[in-house]
Amino acid sequence: MKDGCSPQGQCGCCTVLVDGAPRVSCVTPVRRVAGREVTTIDGLDEGVRGAWSAAFAAVGASQCGFCSPGIILRLVGAVVPGRATDPGAGVRRALSAHLCRCTGWQTIEEAAEVATRATASRLIVDPMDGRDPTAAARRARLEGGTDQMVGPEVALGRGGFADDSAPPDALVAVPDGDGGYAVASTLTAARSRAGKVQGRRSTEPLVHPVPVPDGSWDVTLQTTWVDPGYLEPDASWCGPGGSPRSPLGNGGAFGGKLASPVARDARELADRYGRPVRVLWSREDVVRMGPKRPPVGAGIRRDGTGVLAFGSPSPWPDRDMDAVRAAVRAVAPGLDVYLVPVVGPPVSAAIRAAVWAEAAVLAAVAPWSATASPTPGATGPGPVTGATSPGPATAGASPVLGVPITVVSPGGGRATTTMRPDGGVVVEVSAGAVLDPVVLRSYVIGATHQALGWVLSEGIAVGPDGEVHDLTVRSLGVLPARETPPIEVRLDGDGAGPPVNASDAVFAATAAACWLATGLAPTWPGHALAAGGTR
């Protein structure tokens, strides 16, 4: 099984069945399973395993696939056809024990329906149903930014993750907290030698380190540090003189691993010790050392002019600054952009749509600033009736729903998101040649889910000394299944032109529509505002 939280018992990736009941193995003592039957994904009945993996592939319920084996085992053990009057509610309850960053939950619920129906009726699910695997993988690469497998084996955790192919006699290296590594023959021994302390979730409020620039603004925004939230912790292994295994595995980690040092470190350690070495970061290591989304402070006028400042603890290379400014010009030409020094964890220009998405959001909502005003307690999409066109400012005006918000990304992807008054979300997408509608839809739903969490719930507490205090995977604020609204995706049927990434445009358009629907609160996440600074 997979290790996503090292071991906090919070991500669900290591779920197994004990006498048929789901259990999180990382926090289950071995003595508790003595004399009992333990079933992993490979031990499932072949027909059941095939039906579930095929269903996941058929509806796009796996992208990287790291969390999928644990989810499948949970659903097999917890969702039994005929037991519940509302099977969908049972699936959502079961998913509360899991974290999935890629797919936005909805496709997993759809896969559960397909799989339970297939197993009950002994039907065979065609995982690709005539789809071209090469075209599907091409679309996945466009959306994820790196090579990715598509097919039923992904749902079984066989996507080629970095640590899966390490030789059994490899040494294990874990960060020691002083900039080096503790090395031992086993993971337990290495962590003991490093003095690993289990991470905790703090009770400290979020902070917004970048002030709003001076000026007269119609809309202002401050964001906090946001963790990419990928599930597979950074890992690599290498033999002496060999080529280290890429930490990217079967997914792009939303840009969070592109500069990860683990592959370089694995090569150096292998050469030093003269034998293969596995370099493994824990969840606490990832949260402390992995790059975050840069926090911003910004102000914009209704005519689209304004200033966006973003924070970093160190200067950015000129090439990164030039790329960010060019991307911002493409989506919000009236915004000036500059970097300010802040004390905090590392940030990266490679994180999904970093800085330009914030600029696109501001430009998209600026014309509506006279209509929407922050409403205390507004924390998410819901049955709230609001104005649907720009108009005079009104004290206490309702959040604005039912408005299509369109963003065209610097790469040419186009997305229009509408927050419906009934709580649903509609996303219309133009991505050039579709290549594979299932994969594209999966990424659109995932980007929608991530954008909602960005506005409403995501952020990590950072102390005045720059130390990250929220060290559990649940601390990241990823929106759970029970709080994710239904998402309807409409793909451009023409698919004219070369294929382009669409999910980044979806991310920005959905964030803008959600922010407008919740009243343009001046700080993100919105839950933090509603709860007086805590999540």
Side-chain angles (χ1 to χ4, degrees), residues 280-326:
L280 302 176
W281 282 13
S282 69
R283 176 55 51 184
E284 293 91 343
D285 297 326
V286 174
V287 178
R288 286 192 183 103
M289 299 188 292
K292 313 301 173 217
R293 187 173 198 87
V296 308
I300 195 169
R301 304 178 186 91
R302 287 175 203 160
D303 65 3
T305 59
V307 178
L308 188 155
F310 67 96
S312 171
S314 59
W316 280 18
D318 288 343
R319 65 179 182 277
D320 287 347
M321 289 299 303
D322 290 344
V324 163
R325 290 191 177 105

Side-chain angles (χ1 to χ4, degrees), residues 81 112 198 247 352 354 361 489 495:
Q198 193 69 24
R352 171 179 250 170
V361 167
V489 178

